[in-house]
Amino acid sequence: MTANVPVKAISSGELATLNTQGHWCELGLYIQRPATVYTMRINQDFTSRDRVAELIYDGGAGIYTDAVANMLVLVSATAYGKHDKGMCRLRKDLPSATTGIISINETSHIQFQNNDFLTIVKAMPIWQKDLTVDGGIIKMDYDVEFGNYSHGGCTARLGPIVAIVDLVETIVGETTTWSASFSPVSPDRSECYDGAAIVSYHYECPNAVSIEGADTTSPMFHFDAAGEYLYWCEVTDNIGRVTKSYRWVIVAPVSENFIITENPSGDTDKGGWSYKVRVYSADLSDVHDRSMVTLYKSKEVHNFVVGSLGKLPGYENIINTGWIDGKTINLNSVEGYVEFEVKDASFWLSKVRSFPFGVEDVSDAPINWVQVRELTVDKALHHLLFWTTNATSIMDCFYTRDTKRIKELSSPSDNLWAQIGDIALGTIFAKPIVNSLGQLFVEVDQTIIPSADQAAIPVVMDIQQVNVVNGFEIGMMQDETSLLNLSGITAWDGSNAYPLFSKAPGSIGSTLGSIANEENYVFADQDDCNRIAGVLYALANNKYETIDLELAAQNMFFDIAPRQFAAISISAADNPLGVELTNVKIIPRSVEYEYTPETGLLATTISFEFLVNSVQVVTDGITYIPPVPTSEDLIDNYSIDKINSKIKIPNFPAPNTWFPPYVPPPIPSAPCGSQINSYTVAWDKAELRGEDEDRVARVYFPCKVRPKGYNFASPSKVSIIGAGYADAGSHLTLYGIKDGERVITADVNFEFDSFEPIEVDGFELE
């Protein structure tokens, strides 16, 4: 069983092989030309083509049980296999043969007509699932009512999108046979995020000769012919839900005749991989937008021995899997080629439209779309990706494993990739990145996590002078940031979350640089906030520039995700600056492959960033509590409405709450005794007017209200400091608030009367 972990430390044997001579490879390009699964004709007239989600059909041909959800549906006015009218996603497994109803993703842009040709093909590009409000009921993907526990599922992780294997010749006597075998990585990193637990796995691959261990985590598929094979795993949890996820095995593919015109490259800033190719082919009519493409090594030799070296066993020959960006297709009929860009899931997720997203924490079982039990970033990411796209059904999606509970997470962005960033990067410094194998990782950056956690991240390679082509060239940088201000809140404990502030390097900035502000993050505690402030300050002032290294021997062990390090040791004599570094960790931020067909050389160039706490001391920030504003103008800046605006809570579907999750620091409660004491706090409004729509001022001040009786020398009283005009004072009523409800009312003198002390969160003046 192979673990689904596409990063490893290079073994001593692999390193010895890389340090020899005799490395070359041939590249292949596989463009998916999907087989037809089922064909049919539309058998209905249309009074409206708005929000079409189901079509009546007849004349069905093919094996209808092979037409499964997430396959591609081509729509044509002229013939099967064409898509002159458009494409859509099969929303559900086809229910019946010959005649029936086909369910597609809800669409308004295709001009359906009676007798149009529909072709279901064996392809599964990334597609959105739209949210629908039906009579006040939230439904996902048109008709799946949210809120029913049985409608959910897990995040299945089965390995990279595509594997490519060769046929092996076997000769026994005068009989020659060809066969291939493939065992995917273990699915045991699959996970449920709603309290359920996975209990079993079951694999299917309908066109394989046989499957060994179909009900285990290490199945083996056997094939006897070249071709494209779709397999899936049914992941069952302890409440009986079955989640299906699909992957591909390509056996002995015939490569396209192609050249690379833009090198394959992955970059953490853009979040994924892309490249451009020029393909020479007699028939390119079936190459279209979102066709899946895999660039791979069809032959590979190291130290004059045939064999593959790479980061994940079984997938060492895969360079990249993505989909054709149709807007980049350039057909040259004179020279007989088509040129296009291939882009991975990071690009396509950025093209998936999204509605404003918002979820809130609840302690009990959720009852609607916006509620998540004991909300974390990972639960929000699963919620988003599982319900609004088919991504978790066709690719691996790994999340942060951060367990901090958060009161509310939201994003107003209009595409899915941006929403992932808002939820993860904008909250806990976790960036979404797609690696070269097409797997999504949302991880807190290596530089941000504590040093103890950094020690668990693999060091892929200790890079020596002999491993690089261009040598070590180190540049120094000037400081960019003089003072860094960091703010956010603590994790939600089910009742409270308090603001935290920190400054680095201290209250006074360094000599050079600008002032930087980072805000609205979630921290474990004040120490965590201080530590991260110091890391961000050191990162902004990293003394070394990124270092670009061309690695020898077609080294494909590095990637931009998941988290990984390299280490370098440089003597003063080996670089122009005379800098000496020993066992310093560096982070791969971009990887680029350049292939030379004439020599078979695949060169790897990587841009590395120095890990700041590996080359310079990271000084923690200091705790900073800003003063309470005293002027009316500043008081307005602290209004609840403006706080809500700052954290970008969308109007829908996030819930409305009276108190925001972002609250001031804890305020010591007045002791319940006879000693008189007082505190001064600011209301969220400086002025109340009768013509205002909202004629309520609020103040957050957790305390116990002391009544007139009950053995207290002095009752609790609120003194309103300000001026009233005409009879305004006689129209004011003061309330004590608890959990958003008014629990006690003051008299005309703003004194409270009750039988016993009452705990409140604050007050409302109306």
Side-chain angles (χ1 to χ4, degrees), residues 120-142:
I120 301 174
V121 297
K122 194 180 290 186
M124 292 184 176
I126 291 174
W127 218 282
Q128 82 281 350
K129 296 179 182 178
D130 284 326
L131 174 150
T132 303
V133 181
D134 183 7
I137 299 174
I138 301 293
K139 293 184 178 180
M140 310 308 298
D141 207 16
Y142 182 68

Side-chain angles (χ1 to χ4, degrees), residues 214-287:
D215 296 321
T216 71
T217 58
S218 53
M220 179 69 76
F221 305 138
H222 297 287
F223 310 96
D224 62 359
E228 179 184 281
Y229 296 85
L230 177 67
Y231 73 92
W232 63 85
C233 182
E234 298 171 358
V235 183
T236 304
D237 59 36
N238 60 350
I239 62 171
R241 300 176 305 188
V242 178
T243 304
K244 282 187 179 181
S245 195
Y246 301 85
R247 301 294 186 271
W248 304 90
V249 179
I250 316 300
V251 177
V254 177
S255 175
E256 304 286 343
N257 179 15
F258 77 104
I259 60 172
I260 297 173
T261 54
E262 286 187 13
N263 290 334
S265 64
D267 190 289
T268 56
D269 285 339
K270 68 180 183 181
W273 284 75
S274 65
Y275 58 96
K276 181 182 285 189
V277 293
R278 182 177 296 172
V279 178
Y280 299 85
S281 176
D283 182 15
L284 291 168
S285 60
D286 52 357
V287 175

Side-chain angles (χ1 to χ4, degrees), residues 437-504:
L437 300 175
Q439 299 169 293
L440 169 66
F441 291 86
V442 187
E443 297 179 306
V444 180
D445 192 80
Q446 297 97 309
T447 59
I448 301 296
I449 63 176
S451 56
D453 295 336
Q454 291 173 355
I457 296 176
V459 177
V460 175
M461 183 179 181
D462 184 3
I463 300 175
Q464 306 292 329
Q465 183 74 47
V466 67
N467 306 125
V468 298
V469 175
N470 55 337
F472 298 126
E473 294 185 9
I474 299 177
M476 305 289 283
M477 292 195 297
Q478 186 61 265
D479 286 355
E480 296 290 335
T481 299
S482 169
L483 179 67
L484 184 131
N485 297 310
L486 179 63
S487 64
I489 57 174
T490 60
W492 177 250
D493 64 6
S495 300
N496 296 292
Y498 300 111
L500 299 172
F501 305 88
S502 186
K503 287 187 174 185

Side-chain angles (χ1 to χ4, degrees), residues 612-629:
V612 288
N613 63 357
S614 186
V615 296
Q616 63 197 76
V617 176
V618 174
T619 303
D620 288 353
I622 65 162
T623 304
Y624 170 71
I625 305 298
V628 176

Side-chain angles (χ1 to χ4, degrees), residues 284-331:
L284 291 168
S285 60
D286 52 357
V287 175
H288 54 73
D289 186 31
R290 291 199 262 193
S291 292
M292 187 174 71
V293 180
T294 298
L295 181 65
Y296 64 100
K297 292 179 289 186
S298 57
K299 294 181 181 179
E300 185 174 0
V301 172
H302 296 277
N303 193 22
F304 304 103
V305 177
V306 176
S308 293
L309 296 176
K311 51 186 171 281
L312 184 62
Y315 303 86
E316 298 98 334
N317 58 345
I318 303 298
I319 296 175
N320 183 253
T321 295
W323 294 267
I324 294 175
D325 178 3
K327 292 188 179 299
T328 68
I329 294 176
N330 176 28
L331 178 62

